């Protein structure tokens, strides 16, 4: 390092000196060049310019003096040029005066002569302007002979001086160049010689030891581990030589350790018997470390003491066990630290000795090695030597400590496995005998499992038959009940005041009992649906006060008939709840009607209060009460207090059972307190928020109807001025098509290509309406709908669903409660159909004009309703209910119904679903395929009244739904609604 620094330092000094000298010589050359340029060269150029300008002035003055044709204007122009050149000459004289290196008197003489020439020039010009050519010519002659020559002679003196000065500068520059060249040559030769000498010295001082180190390194790599470097120096290469020797020592030592470790490992792998293994281990360690004594101790099963197991050089009978907890003796430190411990340099007069066969053994050095398992010492190996352990021995013990630990664990595990194997052999014999017994039991269990499977299959079949039976029972019972209830109602209206009072009351009894029978059927279906787990919860927001008021209004006539007071103390200060309105209505109505039923006199009082997150509704009566022994049975199916109560008050015992199951489904509870002869109090506890509900600040819209083919209308552009529609759609072709249709009809269209972008746009500006796709990446249409309905400011945005997704029943329930105007399936979008529904959505008060349908005009002029019904009684029932305002045409099967529809083109079709041959769905499909029939409204008239049947039929595309038995009022309202929208023009 020092040589390199010195060598490069010398070279650097030479470079600096050469740079300084070069800089100085360059400055000297520059000064010579600058002086030559600023003085001789500038003086020569300037004096030459003066002479040129004077010649030009002389020529102009000659023209003025001799040319008699010049006009005064021409003379003035030439005079101006002379004045310009004169000013230029004066500037040139200033430059010459500043830079002339000779006598300034030469410059003054030429300058004064030029100034004197000016007065003569002025005379020539003045005479010429006075039109005195003679005097002008005489003055010019004087100028030419006297002043011009005198000026040129003075200027020539300066020119000659400048020329001589330039020659002098050139000679000096040439001399300088010779001196610089000589100096540079001497400097380069000196630098070359000195640098070469320094480089040679450095090269020789580095290369020689490096060659030696390279040679011995090659020999080391070839396997000669005894080779060492003999180069000794205090410089870096000397340190490298010393490091190489240390590395060679380390490699040789590592090789020795590896060989010894490998030999010991090979010996230890052979034995698996614990005692033979320990003997071989101690012999190998003693030999490798030159130890005279070696012993191994194992932790006893109780883990209280380490007991002597095997040793070399010791009297085994004298070796005692030692405590695993007290940490005593020479092994205490090992137990405490759980690391290998060395006790070295033990003095000769120590009392620390071992008992051997021939006498006491006083060691010089002791090494103790712990064997760990799960951080606990399970064995200890002790080695003792009369001499100090070498560093190689200590390194060897550190290296093979892991191997010894692993092998001891393996041998111990092998010993355990051997012991377990022997034990398993004994147990296997016992198990073989027991297996015979188990085989016999397995055969018995197999036969039992077969019986259980058969029983399970029978139970499943029974459940299937039960569901089918309930469905068929509902259909078969509702069909005759339809005629009983509807016709009794018709006769009640028609025969009033036409028959005796007793006969008229008979009709009321028939209608009342028919409705009771229908209630019983509905209760059985509700119970079956709850037990099968198919009951669904439809969440909405409502108040208990309004719900109870509507129930009391319907039950008040019954209470008045029994002369009971029906008291409602529920105030309007209770909060809204989020629950299933229908189920809450069913629960409360059932409890109140039950109280009225079992109360002969007195009152029925309804009260409510909020406690924590629940509304507690209490229904107290002054009825017969319930015996304590029967209170636990009142909520069981088909159970009442006792047979006497059943005989007196009637009933099936399903009402309270269904109410209890409904309230549990809503997360609430119901209980009762009663005293016989005093009365009962039923308490209904309904949560403020039913589990699974979501926050909503909206009112449910009318049911959804999938568009088939609505009537046409003409869109008035004034209706949509300023109306904005947000189109949420990820399909680019669909966006282009919809935007074209809407913008052409006057709407302003905003687009969002996913749900996230739609929510961002709505947060900026709320549109008048939305057209929403359901299936989109990241945030889908359902999430968008749920988000906007959770905010008061967006909860009332009308939304039209445009989707290719099959909408399931649960999804339909969700959409139904979220203010959806319409669902339109993707495909070929009917422009007229789309615009009609958008107009209806944007302007709910507008009615669309249906396209006129050609039909045969009847003689009565009444609307024609086609009833497709295979049950003659039901057909007659519908005729009886509707023939007063409509003309009814009946068809007994689907084929006849389609034929009549194509011939008659009725105003409305009432279609039974369970038809022989083609069912109601197939008939509906045929009607929608026919261009002449597709606009006729179709109402499903069916006994299918299970949960979800109504939504399924509406989602399929039916314009309305009427269940059997028919409620005449509801049917008339549904028909009037559809006839108002689709009534044909005569």
């Amino acid at each position: 390092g020092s040589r390199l620094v010195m060598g490069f330092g010398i070279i650097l000094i030479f470079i600096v000196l050469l740079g300084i000298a070069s800089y100085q010589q360059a400055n000297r050359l520059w000064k010579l060049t600058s002086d030559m340029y600023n003085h001789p060269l500038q003086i020569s150029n300037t004096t030459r310019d003066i002479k040129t300008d004077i010649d030009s002035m002389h020529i102009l003055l000659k023209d003025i003096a001799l040319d008699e044709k010049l006009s005064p204007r021409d003379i003035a122009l030439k005079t101006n040029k002379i004045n310009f050149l004169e000013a230029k000459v004066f500037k040139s004289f200033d430059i010459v005066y500043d830079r002339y290196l000779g006598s300034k008197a030469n410059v003054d003489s030429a300058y004064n002569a030029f100034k004197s020439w000016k007065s003569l020039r002025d005379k020539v010009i003045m005479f010429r302007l006075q039109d005195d050519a003679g005097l002008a010519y005489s003055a010019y002659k004087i100028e030419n002979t006297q002043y011009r020559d005198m000026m040129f002679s003075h200027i020539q003196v300066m020119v000659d001086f400048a020329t001589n000065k330039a020659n002098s500068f050139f000679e000096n520059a040439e001399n300088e160049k010779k001196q610089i060249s000589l100096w540079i040559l001497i400097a380069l030769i000196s630098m070359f010689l000195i640098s070469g000498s320094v480089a040679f010295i450095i090269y020789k001082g580095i290369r020689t030891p490096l060659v030696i180190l390279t040679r011995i390194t090659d020999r080391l790599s070839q396997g000669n581990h005894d080779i060492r470097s003999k180069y000794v120096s205090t410089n870096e290469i000397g340190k490298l030589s010393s490091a190489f020797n240390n590395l060679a020592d380390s490699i040789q030592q590592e090789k020795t350790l590896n060989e010894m470790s490998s030999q010991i490992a090979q010996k230890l792998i052979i034995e698996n018997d614990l005692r033979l293994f320990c003997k071989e281990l101690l012999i190998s360690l003693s030999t490798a470390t030159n130890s005279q004594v070696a012993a191994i101790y194992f932790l006893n099963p109780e883990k209280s003491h380490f007991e002597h197991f095997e040793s070399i050089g010791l009297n085994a009978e004298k070796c005692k066990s030692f405590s695993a907890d007290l940490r005593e003796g020479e092994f205490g430190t090992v137990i405490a630290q759980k690391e290998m411990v060395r006790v070295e340099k033990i003095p000769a007069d120590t009392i620390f000795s071992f008992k051997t066969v021939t006498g006491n053994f006083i060691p010089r050095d002791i090494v103790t090695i712990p064997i760990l398992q799960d951080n606990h010492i399970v064995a200890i190996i002790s080695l003792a030597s009369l001499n100090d352990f070498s560093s190689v021995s200590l390194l060897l013990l550190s290296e093979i400590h892991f191997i010894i630990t692993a092998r001891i664990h393996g041998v111990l595990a092998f010993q355990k496995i051997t012991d377990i194997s022997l034990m398993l052999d004994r147990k296997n014999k016992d198990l073989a005998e027991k297996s015979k017994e188990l085989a016999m039991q397995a055969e018995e269990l197999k036969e039992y499992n077969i019986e259980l499977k058969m029983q399970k299959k029978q139970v499943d079949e029974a459940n299937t038959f039960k569901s089918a039976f309930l469905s068929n029972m509902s259909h078969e019972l509702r069909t005759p009940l339809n005629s009983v209830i509807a016709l009794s109602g018709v006769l009640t209206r028609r025969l009033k005041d036409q028959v005796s009072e007793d006969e008229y009351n008979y009709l009321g009894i028939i209608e009342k009992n028919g409705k009771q029978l229908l209630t019983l059927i509905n209760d059985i279906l509700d119970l079956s649906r709850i037990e099968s787990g198919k009951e669904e919860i439809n969440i909405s927001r409502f108040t208990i006060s309004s719900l109870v008021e509507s129930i009391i209004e319907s039950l008040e006539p019954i209470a008045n008939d029994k002369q009971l007071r029906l008291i409602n103390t529920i105030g309007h200060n209770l909060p809204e709840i989020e629950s299933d309105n229908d189920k809450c209505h069913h629960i409360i109505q059932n409890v109140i009607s039950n109280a009225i039923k079992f109360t002969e006199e007195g009152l029925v009082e309804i009260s409510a209060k909020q406690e924590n997150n629940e509304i507690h509704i209490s229904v107290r009566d002054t009825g017969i009460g319930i015996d304590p022994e029967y209170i636990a049975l009142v909520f069981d199916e088909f159970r009442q207090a006792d047979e006497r109560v059943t005989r007196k008050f009637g009933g099936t015992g399903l009402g309270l059972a269904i109410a209890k199951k409904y309230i549990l489904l809503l997360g609430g509870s119901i209980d009762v307190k009663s005293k016989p002869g005093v009365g009962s109090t039923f308490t209904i506890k309904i949560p403020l928020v039913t589990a699974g509900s979501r926050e909503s600040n909206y009112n449910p819209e009318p049911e959804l109807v999938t568009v088939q083919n609505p009537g046409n209308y003409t869109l008035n552009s004034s209706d949509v001025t300023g109306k904005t529609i947000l189109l949420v759609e990820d399909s680019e072709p669909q966006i282009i098509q919809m935007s074209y249709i809407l913008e052409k009809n006057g709407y302003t269209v905003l687009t969002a290509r996913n749900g996230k972008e739609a929510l961002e746009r709505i947060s900026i500006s709320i549109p008048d309406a939305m057209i929403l796709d359901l299936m989109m990446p990241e945030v889908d249409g359902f999430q968008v709908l749920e988000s906007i309905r959770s905010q008061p400011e967006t909860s009332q945005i009308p939304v039209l669903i445009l989707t290719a997704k099959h909408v399931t029943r649960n999804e339909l329930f969700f959409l139904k409660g979220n203010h959806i105007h319409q669902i339109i399936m993707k495909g070929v979008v009917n422009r007229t159909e789309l615009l009609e529904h958008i107009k209806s959505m944007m302007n709910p008060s507008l009615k669309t004009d249906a396209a006129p349908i050609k039909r045969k005009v009847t003689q009565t002029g009444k609307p024609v309703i086609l009833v497709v019904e295979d049950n003659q009684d039901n057909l007659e029932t519908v005729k009886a209910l509707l023939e007063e305002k409509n003309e009814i045409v009946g068809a007994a099967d689907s084929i006849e119904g389609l034929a009549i529809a194509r011939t008659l083109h009725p105003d409305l079709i009432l279609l039974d679903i369970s038809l022989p041959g083609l069912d109601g769905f197939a008939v509906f499909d045929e009607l929608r395929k026919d261009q002449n029939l597709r606009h006729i409204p179709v109402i499903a008239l069916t006994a299918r009244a299970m949960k979800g049947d109504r939504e399924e039929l509406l989602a399929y595309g039916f314009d309305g739904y009427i269940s059997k038995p028919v409620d005449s009022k509801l049917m008339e309202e549904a028909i009037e609604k559809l006839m108002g929208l689709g009534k044909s023009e005569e």
Side-chain angles (χ1 to χ4, degrees):
S2 301
R3 292 172 182 173
L4 289 173
V5 171
M6 181 181 65
F8 286 118
I10 292 172
I11 294 172
L12 186 61
I13 290 172
F14 278 132
I15 292 172
V16 172
L17 293 176
L18 182 61
I20 293 172
S22 299
Y23 177 76
Q24 291 177 348
Q25 295 303 323
N27 283 341
R28 291 176 62 188
L29 287 175
W30 166 248
K31 188 174 185 310
L32 291 174
T33 305
S34 177
D35 290 343
M36 183 180 292
Y37 173 79
N38 289 326
H39 298 294
L41 182 60
Q42 285 281 21
I43 294 301
S44 298
N45 292 337
T46 305
T47 52
R48 184 169 58 251
D49 292 341
I50 292 173
K51 290 176 68 176
T52 302
D53 293 339
I54 290 175
D55 282 337
S56 300
M57 292 170 65
H58 177 73
I59 293 170
L60 291 170
L61 189 62
K62 178 180 178 182
D63 292 339
I64 293 172
L66 301 181
D67 191 354
E68 297 180 358
K69 296 180 180 181
L70 292 175
S71 64
R73 183 173 178 278
D74 294 336
I75 293 173
L77 291 173
K78 291 183 180 293
T79 303
N80 289 336
K81 291 182 179 179
I82 290 172
N83 292 335
F84 172 75
L85 293 172
E86 178 184 20
K88 190 176 177 184
V89 170
F90 279 127
K91 289 182 180 179
S92 299
F93 269 116
D94 290 340
I95 294 172
V96 170
Y97 191 82
D98 182 59
R99 301 190 179 185
Y100 187 62
L101 298 178
S103 174
K104 300 295 185 181
N106 296 332
V107 182
D108 292 336
S109 299
Y111 181 76
N112 293 330
F114 180 74
K115 289 179 64 177
S116 300
W117 184 43
K118 175 175 174 56
S119 59
L120 184 60
R121 290 199 314 273
D122 293 341
K123 288 180 181 181
V124 173
I125 295 169
M126 182 184 66
F127 291 147
R128 188 68 181 85
L129 291 174
Q130 294 175 358
D131 203 15
D132 191 345
L135 290 176
Y137 180 74
S138 299
Y140 169 73
K141 279 294 188 181
I142 297 172
E143 178 271 336
N144 187 40
T145 56
Q146 181 178 358
Y147 288 99
R148 182 169 175 273
D149 295 339
M150 179 177 64
M151 285 188 294
F152 281 175
S153 63
H154 289 306
I155 290 171
Q156 187 62 42
V157 171
M158 292 186 291
V159 171
D160 293 341
F161 179 80
T163 302
N164 293 333
K165 198 66 175 174
N167 292 333
S168 174
F169 277 129
F170 178 76
E171 290 175 0
N172 291 338
E174 188 174 14
N175 292 332
E176 284 292 330
K177 185 200 79 167
K178 292 178 180 179
Q179 290 180 5
I180 290 172
S181 298
L182 180 62
W183 186 89
I184 289 174
L185 180 62
I186 294 171
L188 288 175
I189 293 172
S190 301
M191 289 176 63
F192 178 77
L193 293 175
I194 296 173
S195 300
S197 300
V198 171
F200 177 77
I201 293 171
I202 294 174
Y203 173 78
K204 184 175 178 61
I206 294 175
R207 184 178 183 278
T208 299
L210 284 181
V211 169
I212 296 172
L213 286 175
T214 302
R215 187 181 302 115
I216 62 174
T217 302
D218 290 340
R219 293 177 65 184
L220 178 65
S221 65
Q222 293 171 4
N224 186 356
H225 296 130
D226 297 327
I227 191 69
R228 297 293 184 271
S229 173
K230 297 181 180 179
Y231 179 81
V232 179
S233 176
T234 58
N235 62 19
E236 288 84 349
I237 297 178
K239 294 178 181 178
L240 179 61
S241 175
S242 176
F244 173 83
N245 290 337
N246 293 334
L247 176 63
D249 293 339
S250 176
I251 292 172
Q252 190 172 28
Q253 180 175 291
E254 187 71 22
K255 179 188 175 187
T256 303
L257 288 174
N258 289 337
E259 291 176 351
M260 295 174 68
S261 299
S262 177
Q263 292 174 1
I264 294 174
Q266 288 177 359
K267 292 180 180 179
L268 298 180
I269 290 173
I270 298 172
E271 292 294 342
N272 283 318
D273 180 77
L274 184 59
R275 191 163 295 279
L276 295 178
F277 168 80
C278 290
K279 285 184 178 180
E280 188 61 41
L281 171 63
L282 296 178
I283 292 171
S284 298
L285 292 179
S286 299
T287 304
T289 60
N290 294 321
S291 302
Q292 286 73 41
V293 171
I296 184 168
Y297 299 81
F298 280 101
L299 186 65
N300 62 11
E302 295 78 19
K303 298 183 179 180
S304 60
H305 287 76
F306 286 94
E307 297 178 353
H308 174 266
F309 185 77
E310 193 63 55
S311 61
I312 294 176
L314 288 176
N315 186 350
E317 297 177 356
K318 301 291 185 180
C319 293
K320 298 180 180 180
S321 61
F322 56 91
S323 174
D325 299 322
L326 298 179
R327 301 174 184 178
E328 58 188 0
E330 66 271 25
F331 302 124
T333 305
V334 175
I335 296 173
Q337 297 181 358
K338 298 180 182 180
E339 295 178 351
M340 187 172 68
V341 174
R342 179 188 181 192
V343 180
E344 56 182 329
K345 298 180 180 178
I346 300 173
D349 58 349
T350 181
I351 60 174
F352 189 37
S353 62
F354 295 103
K355 297 290 183 179
T356 66
V357 176
T358 58
N360 292 336
F361 172 80
I362 300 175
R364 174 68 177 171
D365 209 340
I366 299 174
V367 173
T368 307
I369 306 168
I371 305 300
L372 299 177
Q373 185 176 29
D374 297 330
N375 204 33
H376 295 289
I377 299 176
V378 296
I380 293 176
I381 300 173
S382 179
L383 302 175
S385 175
L386 293 172
N387 303 306
D388 292 335
F389 286 110
S390 65
S391 59
V392 176
S393 298
L394 295 174
L395 285 173
L396 174 63
L397 293 175
S398 297
E399 288 287 331
I400 65 173
H401 186 193
F402 174 76
I403 298 174
I404 295 172
T405 301
R407 277 300 296 145
I408 288 178
H409 289 168
V411 172
L412 289 173
F414 179 80
Q415 192 71 37
K416 289 182 180 179
I417 291 172
T418 303
D419 296 340
I420 292 172
S421 177
L422 294 174
M423 181 184 65
L424 287 176
D425 287 340
R426 291 193 301 270
K427 290 187 176 182
N428 282 337
K429 295 178 181 179
D430 297 335
L431 289 174
E433 296 177 0
K434 291 182 179 181
S435 64
K436 295 179 181 179
E437 297 177 6
L438 290 175
M440 297 175 63
Q441 294 176 1
E443 288 296 327
E444 295 176 0
L445 288 174
K446 185 176 180 181
E447 294 177 0
Y448 182 67
N449 286 335
I450 293 173
E451 293 178 4
L452 288 177
K453 288 181 180 179
M454 293 175 64
Q455 292 175 3
K456 181 179 181 298
K457 184 178 180 181
Q458 292 173 356
V459 170
D460 293 339
E461 290 176 353
N463 287 330
T464 304
F465 292 148
K466 173 187 172 184
S467 299
F469 167 75
L470 288 174
S471 178
N472 293 332
M473 182 200 70
S474 172
H475 183 274
E476 295 301 325
L477 290 177
R478 285 174 183 274
T479 299
L481 277 177
N482 179 49
S483 300
V484 172
I485 297 173
L487 290 179
S488 62
V490 171
L491 292 175
T492 300
R493 292 192 297 273
R494 292 185 180 182
L495 299 179
K496 188 175 184 179
D497 300 328
Q498 296 184 21
V499 297
S500 65
E501 185 177 352
D502 290 339
E503 291 175 341
Y504 186 76
N505 291 334
Y506 296 160
L507 294 175
I509 293 171
I510 293 171
E511 184 177 6
K512 182 182 69 173
N513 283 280
K515 289 182 178 179
Q516 288 179 352
L517 184 57
L518 178 61
T519 301
L520 175 60
I521 294 170
N522 289 335
D523 285 345
I524 293 174
L525 292 178
D526 287 343
L527 184 63
S528 174
R529 188 168 56 249
I530 295 171
E531 290 178 346
S532 66
K534 296 180 179 179
E535 186 64 42
E536 297 173 347
I537 299 177
N538 295 321
I539 302 299
S540 62
R541 299 187 69 170
F542 58 91
T543 61
I544 291 296
S545 59
S546 61
L547 182 63
V548 172
E549 285 174 0
S550 67
I551 294 172
I552 290 177
E553 184 178 352
S554 64
L555 296 178
E556 202 162 20
I558 303 174
N560 292 336
D561 289 344
K562 298 184 69 173
Q563 297 182 350
L564 297 177
R565 286 184 297 153
L566 196 57
I567 302 172
N568 177 17
T569 63
I570 299 177
H572 293 276
N573 58 341
L574 292 176
E576 287 185 334
I577 69 171
E578 290 188 11
S579 190
D580 190 313
N581 186 292
D582 294 338
K583 289 179 176 55
C584 289
H585 187 282
H586 186 284
I587 296 165
I588 299 172
Q589 182 179 24
N590 201 293
V591 174
I592 295 175
S593 63
N594 218 50
I596 295 172
K597 178 179 178 181
F598 293 103
T599 302
E600 296 292 334
E601 59 181 16
L603 58 85
V604 175
E605 182 181 8
I606 303 97
S607 61
K609 61 181 179 180
Q610 179 183 356
E611 290 192 10
N612 298 325
N613 295 322
E614 291 182 330
I615 298 292
H616 292 191
I617 305 164
S618 296
V619 179
R620 183 178 69 85
D621 63 63
T622 57
I624 63 174
I626 307 170
D627 288 335
E629 60 182 300
Y630 294 116
I631 286 181
L633 305 176
V634 296
F635 296 111
D636 291 346
E637 297 92 343
F638 308 105
R639 296 292 295 271
Q640 290 187 331
D642 55 36
E643 294 181 359
R644 292 171 298 169
V645 174
T646 304
R647 287 195 298 270
K648 180 176 181 180
F649 293 97
T652 61
L654 287 178
L656 290 178
I658 295 174
K660 178 69 175 288
K661 293 183 182 296
Y662 274 165
I663 196 64
L664 293 177
L665 196 63
L666 298 177
S669 63
I670 182 171
D671 54 48
V672 59
K673 295 180 180 179
S674 181
K675 281 187 177 182
V678 177
S680 305
T681 300
F682 284 80
T683 302
I684 306 166
K685 301 176 182 179
I686 304 176
L688 288 176
V689 179
T690 298
S693 69
R694 63 183 185 281
E695 194 71 25
S696 55
N697 296 307
Y698 59 89
N699 296 319
E701 290 298 303
E703 66 248 14
L704 302 177
V705 182
T706 303
V707 177
Q708 297 297 327
N709 285 287
N712 298 324
Y713 70 96
T714 303
L715 180 65
N716 185 352
S717 61
S718 63
D719 296 336
V720 300
T721 303
K723 299 290 186 178
T724 301
I725 297 177
L726 175 60
L727 176 60
V728 186
E729 173 63 62
D730 61 335
S731 171
E732 195 65 31
Q734 196 76 42
I735 291 175
I736 296 171
Q737 180 191 23
M738 296 295 294
S739 299
Y740 173 77
I741 293 174
L742 296 174
E743 290 174 351
K744 190 174 181 181
N745 284 271
Y747 293 101
T748 300
V749 180
L750 304 176
T751 59
R753 285 167 173 79
N754 54 62
K756 182 179 180 182
E757 185 179 346
L759 293 176
E760 291 174 353
R761 281 190 170 275
I762 293 173
S763 66
I764 298 172
S765 175
I766 299 177
D768 296 299
M770 286 177 62
I771 298 176
L772 178 65
D773 186 14
L774 294 179
M775 300 302 292
M776 291 180 294
E778 296 183 13
V779 180
D780 62 17
F782 295 102
Q783 293 170 299
V784 172
L785 196 57
E786 187 171 6
S787 177
I788 65 173
R789 293 310 186 216
S790 65
Q791 303 297 326
E793 60 271 14
T794 58
S795 63
Q796 296 297 324
I797 297 177
V799 178
L800 185 146
I801 299 296
L802 182 64
T803 183
K805 182 184 186 301
H806 170 68
V807 181
T808 65
R809 182 182 298 179
N810 290 336
E811 292 169 342
L812 188 64
F813 282 140
F814 173 79
L815 296 174
K816 174 183 175 181
N818 276 279
H819 196 29
I820 299 302
H821 177 78
Q822 203 72 32
I823 299 178
I824 297 179
M825 302 306 293
K826 285 185 179 179
V828 179
V829 178
N830 186 299
R831 176 180 175 275
T832 305
E833 174 185 323
L834 174 69
L835 293 174
E836 177 181 349
H837 286 286
I838 291 176
K839 180 179 179 181
S840 174
M841 176 174 64
M842 302 288 278
N843 303 281
S845 60
L846 296 179
K847 299 285 186 179
T848 59
D849 298 325
I853 303 173
K854 295 181 180 181
R855 67 175 181 84
K856 293 185 178 181
V857 179
T858 62
Q859 294 179 353
T860 62
K862 297 178 181 179
V864 177
I865 298 178
L866 171 61
V867 181
V868 185
E869 170 65 67
D870 61 327
N871 186 291
Q872 188 62 31
D873 291 342
N874 283 338
L875 180 59
E876 294 299 328
T877 301
V878 174
K879 285 183 179 181
L881 293 173
L882 301 178
E883 65 183 356
E884 185 177 343
K885 297 180 181 179
N886 307 278
E887 183 171 338
I888 307 301
V889 179
D893 56 42
S894 55
I895 303 300
E896 183 183 359
L898 287 171
I900 294 174
R902 294 187 177 106
T903 304
L904 192 60
H905 291 279
D907 294 284
L908 181 72
I909 298 175
L910 295 177
L911 179 61
D912 187 16
I913 300 302
S914 301
L915 293 171
L918 294 177
D919 63 7
F921 293 104
V923 174
F924 181 83
D925 293 337
E926 291 297 323
L927 291 172
R928 290 303 182 235
K929 291 177 184 177
D930 194 322
Q931 292 292 334
N932 296 321
L933 304 178
R934 63 189 306 177
H935 295 290
I936 299 175
V938 180
I939 296 178
L941 181 64
T942 179
R944 294 176 54 167
M946 298 294 283
K947 187 72 174 180
D949 286 337
R950 178 177 183 273
E951 286 74 16
E952 181 180 355
L953 289 167
L954 293 178
Y956 195 81
F958 285 88
D959 298 279
Y961 168 89
I962 299 174
S963 64
K964 299 175 184 176
V966 174
D967 186 317
S968 59
K969 184 178 179 181
L970 292 177
M971 184 169 69
E972 289 177 3
E973 290 177 355
I975 292 174
E976 288 176 2
K977 178 181 177 182
L978 289 174
M979 296 287 278
L981 292 174
K983 186 176 180 180
S984 306
E985 295 180 0
E986 297 294 339

